[in-house]
Amino acid sequence: MRLRKYLSQIRRYPSVIIGLFIIGLLIFTAIAAVIIIPYEEAIILWRGGDMWAESPRNARPLYVDWFTRGNLPRTEILDSRDFPANKTKESLNGVYQFEIMLPLNYQYDGFPKEMNLFFEADFAEVRPNIAIEVLTPDGRQYKTSDISITRDSVIRMEQRTELRRQMGNQSPRFGIFADPEQEERNILKGEYQFIISGYLFGTEDDIDLRLVSYGQVHGFGGTDHRRRDLGVALLWGTPVALMFGVLAAVGANITTFIISAIGVWYGGLVDSAIQRVTEVNMIIPTLPLLILIGMFYSRSLWVMLAVVIIKGVFGPAIKTYRAMFLQVKELPFIEAAEAYGTSNRRIIFFYMLPKIIPTLIPQFVTVIPTFVFLEASLAVLGLGDPVLPTWGKMLNDALSEGTLFMGHFYWVLQPAILLIFTGLGFAMTGFALDRILNPRLRRR
Amino acid sequence: MDHKLDDPDIQEQEIDIKEKVKRKSNLGRIIKYFGFRLLALFITVVIAIYILILIANMGGAVDNIRMGQIRESVGMTMMGMSSEMAEWPLERRREFEQTLVDQEIERLGLDQPFIIRSFYYLWDAITLDLGRAERMTSDAGSRRVQLIILERLPPTLMLMMSYFLLMFFMALFFALFLSRRYGSKLDRMVVLLAPSSAAPGWFYGIFLILIFAVVLGWLPYGGMVEAPPPRETHLYALSVIRHLILPVASLIMGAFFINVYNWRTFFLIYSSEDYVEMAKAKGLTDRSIERKYILRPTLPPIITSFALSMIVMWMGAVILEQIFNWPGLGRMLFEAIGLFDVPVIVGGNVIYAYLLAATVFVLDIIYAVLDPRVKVGIGSGGDD
């Protein structure tokens, strides 16, 4: 009956609907994140390393391409195993000459960030010898000197000084793809051929490679300075943020609520003890304490969460709740309950607490973003969880890499927007719920 | 007794004396009240710092600080005695050093059980005598934690005081203004904007830097003063103000709308009281009704809510300082994290505890000035 009344009122507050929609979206994303990338995998991915070798550094997200309407280069990977017809191998007196041709049809408007070749050579004794030749659509030819290859060599075109020399002292990625006919640096679109040729020194020896042309846009979240796909952190930041916010709010806010009710009901020594503990707790600075604990003991998100909850139990909210409970305590029905001998516990949990739940619910919802941002604050201070990918850690990486000065705005803006999105979702819901459950002027 | 009261002259005299006594006792009561509050607050701070020391030393951090100090001072003394000892074999020197260290430990009472030792540490912490930083130095080149902290204190205080004053008066007048225009477009907009305070100030700082420093280039990215600092005092002050704009603006953005929203609600509650209606009926001007009948009773709850928000704000400023490169205590803590400087971190905790207590005390005073009950001596004011 009353619930239905509230529900019908909710419909009149668009901000609740928007807020609940955002919260729903976040919960959905969080569940999706955990299903798509399991916990262990997320940690391994975020640790970084070789698995990201084929993604570019500091590339913008793919959607940037839609806004600029340009044709920004994406990452192209050519694997020699996909072109078996382009591979030849001939025997010359026990030495085998081979040639692999990889065609790259380059139609983008920008230059690739870099070009690398990842070799996978299988040889018995002697290392294969190779050279890379580039044929451009307008018939230019560039060739590297001979390079000796190990089992998993990486050749970075940018570092080949001989190519640089052949191209009039410019970086190979410009030298290869720029149209020499034009004054400005413009892309010459067309089919480029990368010919890798050389010698193998055993009958069983074989060689394969992947040619990676790194794009300027990559993945739905872009990439960072360690080539990691920021999408992983954006996605996984959601469950972490929600969990941290909700658990801290549950742990801190609801216990605070119960403790203040107990204090008011028993009064006297219990009450003043709670008051004094709260005062001491208020003087202990939260963030420096978390820094201290992060430095001396553990930076794990779980430890931080525990400290936040313990610190929050005797939070300043106790004073607000206490004032409300003091009023409730004087209400006639409590006196009546006492008169017919209701137990203390029953009075606290079944008579006093429910009376203030309408205030608690909005409070609870409104306080969640505070904790979400607290996690981000810790991360920005460099005390983020050492293994988990979170929005705060992304912000921290971005700020410490000087993104604001370098212009990699996507890196800062994405987690920031998600954070504010989360904050607004909960805050809007909380504020509107407050107005629905506690009609104005009744709240003090 | 009886005949005395009959005499009007004596009666008058008596009233006069009573008034004087009352006034005197009023002042005495206020002083006593503040004395009591100060004492209570001091005890609270001592307990808080003691808890911090206990937490810090669970991993032996404070023990290590003190040991390091002792070893250093013993090393210094031994250098002074070197001519004689230079001929000693290394082992003997080591042994001698160890005896000196042990003596010093005994003299300072650090060989006692932790419970007793912890009280020595408590005293060190209360007096901010936290020894030497491991790696950090103050700008003047000192390594004493006390000096590092004292050097970083003024910028933080300047930042927070600017915020405190600007925020309080801006939000107060805006809230009062809105309560007069309840239900107007502006009012509804503030209600809509109130959730924006879910994000802390430093968060808005990122955006403000992005807009005003990176894109528009109007204001500096961060720092407190230009490099090199201007020679003339007025130019120096101007430069500091220019650097102060963005951090203060972001602090205000992080809390402005929620405060205006809450305070406006307080104003609305008090302006619907019967005595306000009564005053209106008496034909008092709007201005005087607002001042005497609405603002006066609303200020105490506003101060309380502001006090709580200030306590949160101190924490937010830690990160804000880092984002804006503001050379204050927050930045000091951040640098100490980077350098793993244990004494500085313990010291930072202690100084923030002091700052929070100072905030509580200042707001207590304001509260006492505003709340007549404190003067008369009914409520014990402030908290309960």
Side-chain angles (χ1 to χ4, degrees), chain A residues 179-187:
Chain A
D179 189 346
E181 301 292 313
Q182 294 182 28
E183 288 274 318
E184 282 171 51
R185 239 180 215 160
N186 279 326
I187 291 281

Side-chain angles (χ1 to χ4, degrees), chain A residues 297 377 405 416 431 440 443, chain B residues 55 58 182 203 221 269 319:
Chain A
Y297 305 109
S377 306
F405 313 98
F431 274 79
R440 195 185 56 79
R443 50 181 301 238
Chain B
I55 294 172
M58 276 198 307
Y182 171 62
F203 183 78
Y221 281 83
I269 292 170
I319 299 158

Side-chain angles (χ1 to χ4, degrees), chain B residues 235-246:
Chain B
L235 285 180
Y236 190 93
L238 217 66
S239 169
V240 170
I241 290 171
R242 247 169 68 82
H243 284 78
L244 201 60
I245 295 173
L246 282 186

Side-chain angles (χ1 to χ4, degrees), chain B residues 70-313:
Chain B
I70 291 168
R71 284 200 180 276
E72 195 178 319
S73 70
V74 166
M76 295 295 256
T77 356
M78 289 207 15
M79 285 240 262
M81 307 192 280
S82 61
S83 60
E84 184 190 340
M85 271 185 294
E87 291 140 37
W88 289 7
L90 187 68
E91 257 174 48
R92 197 177 157 197
R93 249 187 291 169
R94 285 260 167 81
E95 234 168 68
F96 185 63
E97 189 181 345
Q98 194 55 46
T99 25
L100 281 184
V101 168
D102 288 342
Q103 269 175 17
E104 189 69 6
I105 287 171
E106 205 172 322
R107 188 179 72 79
L108 291 168
L110 296 185
D111 54 343
Q112 276 150 327
F114 178 69
I115 293 297
I116 298 166
R117 224 169 352 141
S118 66
F119 287 104
Y120 288 110
Y121 295 154
L122 177 63
W123 179 248
D124 291 344
I126 288 171
T127 52
L128 272 180
D129 182 14
L130 286 155
R132 278 156 184 284
E134 281 161 13
R135 289 179 193 84
M136 281 179 74
T137 54
S138 71
D139 286 345
S142 170
R143 289 204 110 134
R144 281 183 61 198
V145 173
Q146 198 176 21
L147 291 180
I148 295 177
I149 287 176
L150 287 179
E151 193 184 73
R152 299 301 189 103
L153 191 58
T156 295
L157 284 181
M158 181 165 71
L159 183 68
M160 292 310 278
M161 287 306 283
S162 320
Y163 160 74
F164 183 94
L165 294 174
L166 266 172
M167 176 75 191
F168 186 75
F169 290 107
M170 268 171 57
L172 192 70
F173 288 116
F174 196 49
L176 204 58
F177 175 79
L178 282 185
S179 74
R180 267 182 254 149
R181 283 166 185 68
Y182 171 62
S184 67
K185 255 193 195 138
L186 196 65
D187 184 52
R188 270 181 291 161
M189 213 169 80
V190 168
V191 174
L192 269 181
L193 280 173
S196 70
S197 304
W202 62 263
F203 183 78
Y204 290 111
I206 296 176
F207 288 94
L208 289 184
I209 293 177
L210 200 64
I211 296 167
F212 291 99
V214 179
V215 178
L216 296 174
W218 292 348
L219 290 163
Y221 281 83
M224 193 174 77
V225 72
E226 281 162 35
R231 289 269 174 82
E232 294 89 356
T233 323
H234 67 280
L235 285 180
Y236 190 93
L238 217 66
S239 169
V240 170
I241 290 171
R242 247 169 68 82
H243 284 78
L244 201 60
I245 295 173
L246 282 186
V248 172
S250 30
L251 277 175
I252 288 179
M253 273 182 82
F256 185 71
F257 289 108
I258 182 80
N259 279 341
V260 170
Y261 172 78
N262 282 340
W263 298 2
R264 148 196 168 281
T265 314
F266 283 132
F267 283 131
L268 287 173
I269 292 170
Y270 281 90
S271 53
S272 66
E273 293 279 351
D274 293 340
Y275 56 78
V276 177
E277 298 296 323
M278 174 71 184
K280 274 184 197 157
K282 276 200 311 198
L284 293 182
T285 59
D286 278 357
R287 189 159 288 268
S288 87
I289 291 177
E290 217 158 62
R291 255 211 338 265
K292 287 183 190 148
Y293 294 86
I294 301 177
L295 197 53
R296 198 61 199 265
T298 322
L299 277 177
I302 284 181
I303 301 277
T304 314
S305 91
F306 193 56
L308 295 181
S309 85
M310 273 305 283
I311 284 172
V312 179
M313 222 22 119

